[in-house]
Amino acid sequence: MKLRESGMPEEAYWETLLDVDLILDRLGVDNTLGNVVELGCGYGTFTLPVARRISGILETLDIEPAMIERTRQRAREAGLSNIVYTHSDVTTDGFGGVPGSRDACLLFNLLHCDEPVRLLTEAARAVGQSGWVLVIHWRCDPSTPRGPALAIRPRPEQILDWAAQTGLLEPDGPVVDLPPWHYGLRLKRTVK
Ligand SMILES: C[S@@+](CC[C@H](N)C(=O)[O-])C[C@H]1O[C@@H](n2cnc3c(N)ncnc32)[C@H](O)[C@@H]1O
């Protein structure tokens, strides 16, 4: 089942709303990361830049075949060969792969979903014991030009509370400002 309010506007407009390099710099996405899994490739807005930065394989999964096809096309044109595409529904299939086998899991613009603690728990299990779940979301103020309804849009403190409820994640540093419209969180997998 598609996560609630996870539709997207037209590609060119979407990509004016995000400073992708700033976001990835501030979240520490670089070649110290090996294998990474991304939930929801969308248009590949983050998929391609992340694949360029990391030293391993980026697995990206999406419920919409058209999103995977668009991302695959862009990656092919860019000559990127370290991306694996999976057409799947995270609510029924989880993140797939071997639990604990990734250095990071990306949850970008998705934690307004119905079961955020479950999603964060599965994301935590997808990464190894020294891995990170990296989150970005829309700021909770009405001036943002897009984003899910404010009634379901989580504040950073809410996400930190959900992360604590998993028993598997703890904050790694303060809330990150990601202008113009987002904030980010680095959540570290706790050793259990
Ligand atoms: C709001 S977009 C975010 C895309 C990308 N993370 C970004 O920030 O540019 C959400 C994406 O998640 C995908 N999606 C929604 N529900 C899903 C599900 N249950 N399983 C896998 N992908 C899903 C949508 O098809 C869409 O491409």
Side-chain angles (χ1 to χ4, degrees), residues 138-151 153 155 180-181:
W138 293 91
R139 280 186 352 220
C140 282
D141 66 71
S143 67
T144 51
R146 283 283 305 182
L150 287 173
R153 207 184 291 191
R155 295 180 181 279
W181 306 116

Side-chain angles (χ1 to χ4, degrees), residues 37 68 74 98 113 121 168 173:
V37 61
I68 291 186
R74 294 177 88 179
V98 180
C113 59
T121 301
L168 296 171

Side-chain angles (χ1 to χ4, degrees), residues 99-121:
S101 61
R102 289 75 163 223
D103 290 341
C105 176
L106 311 183
L107 299 179
F108 286 5
N109 296 308
L110 286 160
L111 273 174
H112 53 283
C113 59
D114 281 304
E115 296 186 273
V117 176
R118 182 176 161 207
L119 186 60
L120 282 164
T121 301

